[in-house]
Amino acid sequence: MIETNNSGIVFPEVINNFRVYNDANRIMGTTAEVNIAELQAMTAAVSGAGILGEYNTSVVGMFQSMSQEIPFRMIDRDFFTMLNTGEQSKVVLRSSVQQRNRETGGTISTSAMRFVFRGHPTAAKFGTVKIGDLMNASITLELTYLLAEIDGETMLELDKLNSVYKVAGKDLLKDIMKQC
């Protein structure tokens, strides 16, 4: 997707670097790759008079279960602090997106991208123990909160427990919450 910023037309190229933080803002022992949780809307089949057959419609603000796997190269103290099922864990992923500006002859710049996840642990893989190798452990969180920002601007905020669903600055539940 090509975007326009104050200095011209830019398009994102790669994640230049990233770090993962826990609630205490410390870097966690993650691996070189984190797969971001998938949003899948809850749907309902619509059929009836005036409709040729049926179609599925997404229910605004309603999403199926979301899980986020947090990989660890090695098990450490942060790993075990995330196993408390009585508390939500908070994980922040900060990355730098490298982009190229076509109007300035291909000048490279960067923008900040941040994801915030909150949820309860539902699975823990302790990985393997092998001389001279990584453990490749992971914790899976059942997410109740997801935030995505680009350069400090909120692009998505979903808070299942507090009925918040905002996309690109628009509160999609505003009217619905007034009506209930």
Side-chain angles (χ1 to χ4, degrees):
M1 176 179 193
I2 296 174
E3 299 179 18
T4 303
N5 69 11
N6 294 338
S7 58
I9 297 176
V10 297
F11 58 93
E13 291 183 323
V14 296
I15 299 293
N16 188 291
N17 202 354
F18 79 96
R19 291 191 175 139
V20 179
Y21 300 84
N22 66 9
D23 224 359
N25 257 357
R26 293 180 312 199
I27 297 174
M28 299 176 65
T30 61
T31 64
E33 184 175 341
V34 177
N35 293 315
I36 307 296
E38 180 180 337
L39 276 180
Q40 192 167 26
M42 295 183 76
T43 61
V46 177
S47 65
I51 297 173
L52 296 177
E54 70 178 25
Y55 65 90
N56 286 334
T57 186
S58 57
V59 181
V60 175
M62 301 288 178
F63 292 91
Q64 294 183 17
S65 172
M66 300 182 305
S67 61
Q68 178 63 52
E69 184 177 36
I70 309 298
F72 286 77
R73 287 186 290 268
M74 300 295 295
I75 290 176
D76 62 6
R77 284 178 170 73
D78 290 330
F79 181 91
F80 289 101
T81 62
M82 294 179 68
L83 285 179
N84 184 349
T85 57
E87 295 180 11
Q88 285 203 75
S89 290
K90 178 181 175 183
V91 176
V92 178
L93 187 149
R94 295 179 184 271
S95 61
S96 178
V97 178
Q98 180 176 305
Q99 54 201 18
R100 192 165 300 269
N101 186 320
R102 290 193 293 184
E103 291 183 357
T104 61
T107 305
I108 291 176
S109 62
T110 58
S111 63
M113 183 168 49
R114 180 174 85 119
F115 284 91
V116 177
F117 311 102
R118 284 197 309 251
H120 295 283
T122 57
K125 287 192 262 183
F126 293 95
T128 58
V129 177
K130 181 179 174 185
I131 293 175
D133 209 351
L134 304 176
M135 289 184 77
N136 293 318
S138 68
I139 299 241
T140 302
L141 301 177
E142 173 62 25
L143 297 184
T144 57
Y145 183 86
L146 174 62
L147 173 76
E149 291 179 340
I150 296 177
D151 283 335
E153 182 181 346
T154 299
M155 303 310 296
L156 170 74
E157 183 176 21
L158 174 62
D159 187 341
K160 288 185 171 189
L161 300 179
N162 292 299
S163 300
V164 174
Y165 180 49
K166 298 176 182 176
V167 177
K170 183 174 182 182
D171 185 348
L172 298 178
L173 294 179
K174 182 180 178 182
D175 292 337
I176 294 170
M177 297 312 292
K178 285 181 185 176
Q179 295 163 355
C180 295

